[in-house]
Amino acid sequence: MTLEDLRVFVAVCAAGSLASVARDSSRSQSAVSQHVKRLERATGLTLIERQTRGVVPTPAGRLLYLAALSATASLDDALQHLDDLRRGVGGAVRITTGGVTVRHFMAEAVAAFRERYPKVTLEFHAANSTQHCVQILQAGQVDLAWITLGQPLPGIEQRPVIDLPWVLVVRPDDPLAERAVIRPEDLGHISYIAQPENSTSRLRLEESLVRLGISPPAPAGIADWDTALLLAELGTAPAILPALPGPTPLPESRTRMIPIPALTPLAVGWAARSWRALSPYATKFADTVAAALEP
């Protein structure tokens, strides 16, 4: 088998189609198929299964796909770093993250990093969920992903940075605004603004509520962090949110954030395909963010 066989196989598994890979790479479908067949001969196993709407990896193919995805992405990273050295440029650090992360978690670190390494480019790739960030990272499009941490992920190394406590966000005139804390029994009666269903933070919140035996009413609305905060300030409904570091867009006089200590804090941090394979600049940026968030 060759490196090109693995690259083509990864592309086929990701696209779910021999024809689309052939079209995108300006090859014939037969040529694409030959790369896959060569891998099947080398492994002695069937690696893809043809279906009505394309192809899917078999269990053996899935195993090879995950390994090849990580290996080829790491090799591409190394080749890019070598090219940067050859050309004598600072290079780039590529990060994928959600919409509110840079403002709340990285603003100070970005400024410090840019001052220290002015020739290094920071490239931010926006994603709308942890799952989306992980997909971008696995595909080798970025060096680092800032995610909500959870279960182990194939081919991904996670590094926790900070735990975020949960708060109830209400208007100052809300009856709950004078509470020092929100108790578990209070949550069973609150119809709150929730984060999107596909978000890992929403999943972690619901897991905590189940652990506490709490079944609150249906959410009063669905919104990202910034929008949920604004809707709570406008009096639409309270919001249950992780308390993010960094600047809060609304003045304290217009909202109250009341701790909910019974809920398990949300762990967030970095993910990479391999920490040892990161460029020195990517490692320095990850460390700069972590240091800026230390209490």
Side-chain angles (χ1 to χ4, degrees):
M1 70 177 72
T2 68
L3 178 59
E4 188 62 16
D5 293 335
L6 293 173
R7 290 188 189 279
V8 172
F9 178 69
V10 166
V12 168
C13 291
S17 168
L18 294 168
S20 66
V21 172
R23 182 174 59 253
D24 293 343
S25 60
S26 301
R27 314 175 200 224
S28 68
Q29 186 168 329
S30 174
V32 171
S33 181
Q34 285 302 314
H35 285 287
V36 176
K37 289 179 179 178
R38 190 153 44 230
L39 289 174
E40 291 181 328
R41 287 195 298 269
T43 61
L45 295 166
T46 300
L47 299 177
I48 63 170
E49 178 183 352
R50 287 169 172 78
Q51 297 184 343
T52 305
R53 296 186 176 181
V55 297
V56 296
T58 63
R62 179 70 177 168
L63 183 64
L64 180 61
Y65 167 65
L66 292 174
L69 178 64
S70 177
T72 55
S74 294
L75 179 58
D76 289 341
D77 281 348
L79 293 173
Q80 180 62 58
H81 300 328
L82 290 173
D83 186 56
D84 291 339
L85 289 173
R86 179 185 61 81
R87 294 184 293 115
V89 299
V93 179
R94 302 164 301 162
I95 307 109
T96 181
T97 179
V100 303
T101 301
V102 176
R103 178 193 305 152
H104 293 284
F105 293 92
M106 300 184 185
E108 179 182 340
V110 166
F113 186 86
R114 292 290 299 132
E115 182 177 357
R116 187 173 182 185
Y117 306 104
K119 294 184 178 181
V120 180
T121 302
L122 294 176
E123 298 179 5
F124 288 94
H125 298 244
N128 57 15
S129 66
T130 286
Q131 182 180 8
H132 190 193
C133 286
V134 169
Q135 290 171 346
I136 294 173
L137 179 64
Q138 288 177 326
Q141 298 174 21
V142 296
D143 307 299
L144 294 162
W146 181 268
I147 63 172
T148 301
L149 304 178
Q151 298 298 319
L153 299 166
I156 299 294
E157 297 179 15
Q158 302 181 51
R159 182 170 293 182
V161 174
I162 188 171
D163 288 338
L164 307 176
W166 291 93
V167 295
L168 183 72
V169 184
V170 297
R171 287 167 54 93
D173 57 0
D174 189 285
L176 295 171
E178 300 306 318
R179 295 280 189 91
V181 298
I182 299 297
R183 300 166 300 188
E185 54 266 30
D186 297 324
L187 298 176
H189 308 289
I190 298 174
S191 180
Y192 61 90
I193 298 168
Q195 293 182 282
E197 293 182 0
N198 67 337
S199 66
T200 305
S201 55
R202 169 79 175 272
L203 176 62
R204 296 288 176 268
L205 172 59
E206 292 179 345
E207 289 173 347
S208 280
L209 293 174
V210 169
R211 177 179 58 81
L212 294 170
I214 298 169
S215 298
I222 307 295
D224 60 61
W225 196 92
D226 282 329
T227 306
L229 191 67
L230 178 60
L231 291 174
E233 188 269 337
L234 293 174
T236 302
I240 298 181
L241 299 170
L244 304 188
T248 300
L250 296 175
E252 177 64 20
S253 61
R254 294 161 61 185
T255 60
R256 294 286 186 274
M257 292 188 177
I258 310 166
I260 314 176
L263 296 179
T264 304
L266 194 67
V268 297
W270 288 115
R273 292 184 302 280
S274 169
W275 286 102
R276 290 190 300 176
L278 285 175
S279 72
Y281 290 125
T283 301
K284 289 181 184 299
F285 181 71
D287 291 343
T288 300
V289 172
L293 294 173
E294 288 180 356

